[in-house]
Amino acid sequence: MMQLNQSGWKPEMGANDDGAAGTFTGNRALMLEEPLIFEIGGSETTGVDFTVRPELVEGLSSSSGSSDPEGQGFDKLNPNGILGNLLRTAPIGLPGLSEPETIRHYTRLSRQNYAIDLGLFPLGSCTMKHNPRLNEKVARMAGFGDVHPLQPRETVQGALAVIHELAHWLVTLTGMKAVAMSPKAGAHGELCGVLAIKAAIEAKGEDRPVILVPESAHGTNPATAAFAGFRVESIPATPEGRVDVEALKAKLGPDVAGVMITNPNTCGLFERELKTISDAVHAAGAYVYCDGANFNAIVGRVRPGDLGVDAMHINLHKTFSTPHGGGGPGSGPVVLSEALAPFAPLPFVEKRGDEFMLIEEETAGEHHASSFGRMAAFHGQMGMFTRALSYILSHGADGLRQVAEDAVLNANYILRSLEGVLDAPFAGSGPCMHEALFTDDGLAEGFSTLDIAKGLIDEGYHPMTVYFPLVVHGAMLVEPTETESKATLDQFIGALRSVANRARQGDPALKSAPHHAPRRRLDETLAARKPVLVWKDEGLAVAAE
Amino acid sequence: MRYLPLTPADRQAMLATIGATSIDDLFADVPAEARLSGPIAGLPGHASEMAVERHFSALARKNMAASHHPFFLGAGAYKHHVPATVDHIIQRGEFLTAYTPYQPEIAQGTLQMLFEFQTQVARLFGCDVANASMYDGSTACYEAISMAGRVTKRKKAILSSGLHPHYVSVAKTMAHFTGDTLDTAIPALDGTDMARLLDTVDGETACVVVQYPDILGRVEDLAPLAAKCHEAGSLLVAVVTEPVALGHIKSPGEMGADIVVGEGQSLGVGLQFGGPYVGLFACKEKFVRQMPGRLCGQTVDASGKRGFVLTLSTREQHIRREKATSNICTNAGLCALAFSIHMTLLGEKGLRSMAELNHTGAVDAAQRLAQVPGVLLATPTFFNEFTLVLSKAARPIVRALAEKGVLGGVSLGRLYPGEATLENGLIVAVTEVVTPDDIETLATALEEVLA
């Protein structure tokens, strides 16, 4: 969760020279520049050798238009070869590299990335925690990684067992009735929950066109509700950073289908009144959607089902540590209350006796007749299910509880260690949950959250989430997670304290940070004004001007 | 617990700094009645790495893995050989454990890779631009239908009968809620429904969606359909579930498709029992501002060096909220990387060789299998996948083949349950991993189970 450059800042070309002599290559020791594959590869180069089937060398080459030597009738089907004029003639323009060049290209690129393996990655709401390598090993076992989704059910009982076992954990940990496993990511899970709500309302023969969403919500919440055809109405926050319950109650009525609430919320606070809200929403005939992006703060200590939630997605890539992979893939199973469970999307895995069944369109009518349908091809993000279950089994019920405790402890340690140097708008109202929120209040004239973020890059950290949530000015949302040691936190606190002090004092060098990263600040305005989205020869010329 | 670095002494020291007496103080905002006093009953406790690995090994052994058997399944997911290099690189922590590249100064690796990926996809599909990936082919397909609606301001989409039934099912789910109208049909074994598509497209049509090659493996010229769509002010959306095909046959973009989406699983990603996969999404440049999903673009940094950023974000939910082009946030970053590395290793030359091997192998197999008594070839044109009509219902035959250790294909009974005209249909995919011995094994087994 991040906002892009909001300051409209535009770099001055050629400025900020650090004074060091240039190198012939443009490299700076271990900081290595790497061209695009289109600049170094060739259409005749390949890094893959194929075994040509000996009997294919001689004939049966339908594509070349030769006749069929065995007389099996292919030439009768189409005398010009079965693909005729659909054969590709034009070049594609795909460069290839040999294997060593390929390894080097991507290894060099990888070194321009920050990653959780390199250090603290305190992106609030994103939950960047250690990714255990056991999970990678498990996901790659041939019985999981090398199985086709349409194989006969009898040949994939172990894979279905994994889905079933993970589903059992998710339902039990959340205290809910059922879980839809197929959503592909958090936002897809939100869509699943909102469609279940819409289906439930249709089933009652009602027309409720409105979904209520708090101001502090992730952008995906209103976008999802709008996609599903709802009108989005905003609910304000209280001065202490929580949903304004009275304002919410005032909006409830026969036109409201549901409320989307994040708990813990995006200010890092637990919504104390969620049960009260749920009761009021249910009394008004509507449903409660909980954005479970922050479930990692409460797993094992609180069950959302006890708070009256009807649907909640769980980002397996957050709470259960499947790797973020530079932007996905994610996985967003949705737990459902008794009221919404009948509307869950296909497919389901069910256990009958000792056998695992896959319930798809064919048999859904038997006892899932109200399902709202299918959300994606096949059965969900199996590769994420194996990883998440591996993480869950490693921790166990006791370890998961410790996960939530350590995540919250680490965040509060950061909050209390930094509230003296950064404005912490809600610190006075009590402890935070898994993330600590700060604002840009108190920085020198002309200095912003963006400058602090870029300063942290020079200190060797990925910045926190910036400019989100929208309910405070210049937000900085810090989520350390449970997998950081005290020593790591202490060093980070020292670094952020130092950068914050420079921003308070107006250190001009901070305005041009980062100085030590593979790139200086990038011109996002130019990128949007003159979009160059694919490589073209002339694209280079433009950039060099 | 091996993943948690805090020691009991650390926890005490930190609580002291915070000014709390116990961890429970930090959960003070949770109402007392919702607080759990200890680990949830009925769930097991923590386990060693060895114990967890053994648990999964036992479950994995209950599945028939594709590489351990003669394997002929396709229908939207294909088994290709993935070079070892691909899995090595995607497991580098700098790629595996990075986040979405929102801080571009320290994410150029991911960003440059995405820029290369976008270019590869655009060129393969014959389009001007491509995005940084979607969840999978089926969701990319409904996003394309949505996008065509935004571009044309029309609400009706015509879906070819050759579109993957799961994709149709997803589109139907979404259309029910968005109020779009879908015109759909069940495929026939004796020919495509191109004539129906040409006849039906009209001034109300936002788009026609056609899969290429289609669910039964057939390949057909899309140019006349594209012309007809454009005449009616509609868009042609092409869906490619087997991108390797485009190493051998013309791209949909070349034939006039406006939006080309697809499933990128074939390259680099692997079968994985259906996910995670990688949705490919490309279109003509003039529609770029209506595209869903993340886009990477080229720019310069403050010292004038070329660099890459996520761009045109004003289409996206984190800026535009309820006015966004889609609610999508996550893409399929690591799967896009796997696709891109595999494509870089292949290059044009390798992709064409691989595609030709697939096609000639499939022709070989079709010829051999058509010799089996009770087997007819139903698809006159195909790339690496074709449909056979058996003398009996195919679904039990597939199970019987599996009992003989052969994963023989996807029955149309599985994909179109209850459709009597299709129940004898069997879709067979033949990629470069299939050997002549595998084909012979399938032919022999098929002969036995059909006898």
Side-chain angles (χ1 to χ4, degrees):
Chain A
M1 233 319 139
M2 283 292 255
Q3 298 291 308
L4 296 173
N5 180 2
Q6 302 239 323
S7 65
W9 171 88
K10 181 141 178 31
E12 289 172 36
M13 307 299 294
N16 309 316
D17 191 340
D18 60 10
T23 57
F24 171 76
T25 54
N27 297 332
R28 282 165 288 164
L30 284 176
M31 215 183 281
L32 299 161
E33 295 292 320
E34 181 62 11
L36 292 159
I37 51 172
F38 307 96
E39 296 159 342
I40 52 177
S43 61
E44 288 304 307
T45 304
T46 181
V48 183
D49 295 329
F50 288 99
T51 311
V52 177
R53 299 183 187 90
E55 65 272 41
L56 294 176
V57 175
E58 306 250 326
L60 292 183
S61 177
S62 63
S63 56
S64 64
S66 63
S67 64
D68 174 6
E70 299 294 319
Q72 297 303 319
F74 278 82
D75 52 343
K76 288 182 209 143
L77 293 172
N78 187 334
N80 296 319
I82 66 168
L83 292 168
N85 63 359
L86 291 176
L87 277 178
R88 182 182 271 284
T89 48
I92 314 172
L94 293 169
L97 297 176
S98 66
E99 181 173 311
E101 291 170 307
T102 302
I103 292 272
R104 195 165 283 166
H105 176 72
Y106 290 101
T107 302
R108 284 180 170 221
L109 288 186
S110 76
R111 291 162 50 98
Q112 298 180 20
N113 272 359
Y114 194 84
I116 190 72
D117 279 3
L118 289 169
L120 180 74
F121 208 130
L123 275 174
S125 206
C126 302
T127 314
M128 295 296 286
K129 61 169 77 172
H130 169 63
N131 298 135
R133 291 319 197 267
L134 170 63
N135 306 352
E136 296 303 308
K137 186 174 183 181
V138 164
R140 286 169 171 79
M141 289 176 175
F144 304 126
D146 195 24
V147 178
H148 192 286
L150 298 174
Q151 280 179 218
R153 163 169 59 80
E154 298 81 2
T155 69
V156 292
Q157 285 292 301
L160 296 176
V162 166
I163 298 178
H164 192 263
E165 187 174 1
L166 177 61
H168 175 70
W169 274 92
L170 298 180
V171 163
T172 310
L173 288 170
T174 55
M176 301 287 276
K177 170 78 175 168
V179 60
M181 296 297 287
S182 68
K184 298 253 157 195
H188 206 223
E190 287 177 31
L191 185 59
C192 171
V194 168
L195 293 185
I197 290 173
K198 194 156 181 176
I201 285 167
E202 281 177 6
K204 288 197 278 188
E206 295 178 347
D207 179 26
R208 291 172 173 258
V210 175
I211 290 265
L212 304 179
V213 180
E215 285 171 353
S216 60
H218 297 110
T220 47
N221 290 182
T224 299
F227 181 86
F230 287 108
R231 192 168 78 241
V232 176
E233 290 189 13
S234 191
I235 311 166
T238 62
E240 62 165 33
R242 292 184 171 86
V243 171
D244 186 331
V245 179
E246 290 315 311
L248 186 149
K249 282 182 178 170
K251 291 230 178 205
L252 288 174
D255 59 334
V256 174
V259 180
M260 297 181 86
I261 290 185
T262 308
N263 196 22
N265 71 21
T266 61
C267 298
L269 304 174
F270 194 85
E271 294 285 358
R272 297 175 193 133
E273 309 285 336
L274 183 54
K275 185 68 172 68
T276 310
I277 293 171
S278 299
D279 291 344
V281 170
H282 292 154
Y287 298 93
V288 178
Y289 185 86
C290 182
D291 181 327
N294 298 331
F295 184 55
N296 56 306
I298 56 172
V299 59
R301 287 200 66 108
V302 180
R303 287 180 303 205
D306 295 338
L307 300 170
V309 167
D310 291 299
M312 182 180 90
H313 75 264
I314 300 168
N315 305 80
L316 296 185
H317 48 291
K318 294 180 180 178
T319 302
F320 299 117
S321 188
T322 69
H324 281 75
S331 181
V334 178
V335 287
L336 297 162
S337 66
E338 192 148 14
L340 292 185
F343 306 99
L346 303 171
F348 308 88
V349 173
E350 288 184 358
K351 192 173 185 186
R352 293 187 192 160
D354 287 336
E355 206 178 350
F356 292 96
M357 312 292 289
L358 186 65
I359 311 298
E360 296 184 282
E361 285 83 346
E362 181 177 12
T363 51
E366 291 165 19
H367 57 296
H368 292 288
S370 308
S371 166
F372 71 70
R374 176 180 285 279
M375 293 194 74
F378 310 129
H379 331 306
Q381 305 285 68
M382 182 66 186
M384 303 291 113
F385 299 160
T386 44
R387 288 173 174 91
L389 184 60
S390 169
Y391 175 90
I392 285 172
L393 293 177
S394 295
H395 280 286
D398 52 335
L400 289 174
R401 190 174 158 87
Q402 189 72 54
V403 161
E405 293 177 0
D406 284 358
V408 170
L409 179 64
N410 280 354
N412 277 282
Y413 185 64
I414 283 182
L415 178 68
R416 298 307 169 194
S417 302
L418 286 166
E419 63 182 333
V421 65
L422 282 171
D423 173 54
F426 307 126
S429 72
C432 63
M433 296 303 288
H434 62 297
E435 56 196 357
L437 180 64
F438 303 97
T439 79
D440 61 2
D441 193 39
L443 305 188
E445 181 71 26
F447 282 75
S448 68
T449 290
L450 189 74
D451 300 319
I452 291 182
K454 301 305 183 191
L456 271 179
I457 290 176
D458 276 340
E459 293 285 352
Y461 294 102
H462 195 285
M464 67 293 275
T465 289
V466 293
Y467 300 106
F468 180 86
L470 309 177
V471 291
V472 298
H473 197 269
M476 287 175 256
L477 191 60
V478 183
E479 178 178 8
T481 82
E482 74 280 3
T483 58
E484 298 302 334
S485 69
K486 181 171 178 294
T488 304
L489 296 180
D490 285 336
Q491 194 194 38
F492 173 73
I493 288 163
L496 183 48
R497 183 180 290 278
S498 165
V499 174
N501 276 324
R502 288 168 64 199
R504 291 169 76 91
Q505 289 152 16
D507 176 0
L510 195 58
K511 291 298 296 179
S512 51
H515 299 264
H516 307 304
R519 284 292 179 272
R520 307 296 290 271
R521 290 192 199 192
L522 287 134
D523 189 345
E524 293 174 6
T525 310
L526 173 71
R529 193 171 295 149
K530 293 183 183 171
V532 179
L533 307 174
V534 293
W535 184 82
K536 295 172 191 159
D537 286 302
E538 60 271 26
L540 264 188
V542 171
E545 273 170 15
Chain B
M1 206 290 147
R2 58 189 176 276
Y3 304 144
L4 301 176
L6 294 184
T7 65
D10 289 336
R11 293 186 182 111
Q12 285 311 314
M14 292 164 74
L15 283 170
T17 301
I18 293 164
T21 55
S22 77
I23 195 76
D24 289 334
D25 289 358
L26 303 180
F27 287 84
D29 286 328
V30 179
E33 59 275 19
R35 283 182 223 160
L36 302 173
S37 56
I40 295 172
L43 296 174
H46 61 276
S48 69
E49 176 161 332
M50 190 170 73
V52 174
E53 192 176 328
R54 280 182 179 161
H55 177 71
F56 279 101
S57 297
L59 290 174
R61 280 195 298 274
K62 293 183 176 172
N63 303 322
M64 277 176 77
S67 41
H68 300 166
H69 301 274
F71 180 85
F72 297 90
L73 277 78
Y78 301 87
K79 174 156 182 66
H80 290 285
H81 176 73
V82 179
T85 299
V86 175
D87 200 42
H88 166 77
I89 292 169
I90 69 168
Q91 287 201 71
R92 278 191 69 94
E94 301 91 328
F95 284 127
L96 183 74
T97 76
Y99 195 67
T100 304
Y102 286 131
Q103 295 288 344
E105 298 88 347
I106 48 172
Q108 286 298 303
T110 294
L111 285 160
Q112 180 170 330
M113 175 280 290
L114 288 176
F115 186 78
E116 293 174 347
F117 168 81
Q118 289 175 180
T119 308
Q120 287 172 323
V121 172
R123 290 182 174 194
L124 185 68
F125 281 177
C127 292
D128 301 324
V129 291
N131 75 9
S133 77
M134 310 295 285
Y135 305 134
D136 75 345
S138 67
T139 55
C141 177
Y142 88 68
E143 289 276 9
I145 295 170
S146 262
M147 176 174 152
R150 289 192 297 275
V151 169
T152 59
K153 303 197 165 51
R154 298 175 184 176
K155 300 284 277 179
K156 185 178 83 177
I158 302 168
L159 275 47
S160 151
S161 66
L163 181 61
H164 194 294
H166 283 190
Y167 290 37
V168 174
S169 196
V170 173
K172 280 183 175 170
T173 299
M174 298 306 155
H176 171 72
F177 293 104
T178 56
D180 293 330
T181 307
L182 299 183
D183 183 337
T184 64
I186 297 290
L189 292 171
D190 58 359
T192 71
D193 64 347
M194 183 59 83
R196 167 186 155 250
L197 302 178
L198 287 166
D199 281 352
T200 322
V201 60
D202 61 17
E204 309 278 285
T205 308
C207 63
V208 175
V209 183
V210 57
Q211 185 173 316
Y212 172 90
D214 80 358
I215 183 67
L216 301 186
R218 298 170 297 204
V219 184
E220 207 168 9
D221 190 358
L222 303 182
L225 183 60
K228 191 75 199 287
C229 285
H230 297 156
E231 216 172 275
S234 317
L235 304 189
L236 177 62
V237 175
V239 178
V240 179
T241 60
E242 172 49 301
V244 173
L246 302 185
H248 199 61
I249 56 178
K250 281 181 183 166
S251 68
E254 279 177 80
M255 294 185 280
D258 300 280
I259 304 174
V260 185
V261 296
E263 174 53 70
Q265 167 275 336
S266 253
L267 290 172
V269 177
L271 290 171
Q272 306 198 82
F273 199 48
Y277 287 173
V278 50
L280 311 177
F281 199 110
C283 68
K284 291 180 175 165
E285 187 145 32
K286 62 182 171 181
F287 302 131
V288 68
R289 284 173 198 275
Q290 291 297 341
M291 278 180 108
R294 292 171 178 155
L295 281 167
C296 172
Q298 178 178 301
T299 186
V300 293
D301 79 350
S303 11
K305 284 184 182 162
R306 177 174 68 188
F308 303 92
V309 295
L310 291 181
T311 193
L312 299 181
S313 310
T314 51
R315 300 165 300 112
E316 290 185 75
Q317 46 75 27
H318 62 284
I319 305 287
R320 192 56 69 87
R321 298 176 77 84
E322 65 268 23
K323 296 190 179 64
T325 55
S326 164
N327 77 331
I328 193 170
C329 177
T330 296
N331 57 338
L334 204 68
C335 298
L337 174 64
F339 177 99
S340 193
I341 298 166
H342 196 177
M343 189 66 98
T344 299
L345 276 168
L346 287 167
E348 182 144 351
K349 181 179 175 171
L351 180 69
R352 281 172 176 264
S353 306
M354 181 178 174
E356 186 161 0
L357 263 179
N358 274 252
H359 181 59
T360 50
V363 169
D364 241 8
Q367 287 194 320
R368 176 66 186 89
L369 295 171
Q371 289 174 342
V372 173
V375 175
L376 291 171
L377 177 66
T379 44
T381 65
F382 57 86
F383 166 63
N384 68 353
E385 191 170 23
F386 51 84
T387 299
L388 301 175
V389 182
L390 311 182
S391 53
K392 298 176 179 172
R395 210 167 176 186
I397 297 295
V398 168
R399 292 212 184 94
L401 289 171
E403 276 171 24
K404 290 179 172 290
V406 178
L407 292 165
V410 177
S411 71
L412 291 182
R414 169 82 186 261
L415 292 175
Y416 300 95
E419 293 295 333
T421 57
L422 297 174
E423 68 176 6
N424 289 12
L426 177 69
I427 308 176
V428 176
V430 180
T431 73
E432 75 285 353
V433 305
V434 171
T435 66
D437 284 349
D438 291 339
I439 295 170
E440 202 49 48
T441 305
L442 173 60
T444 307
L446 200 52
E447 190 157 348
E448 287 166 12
V449 296
L450 281 174

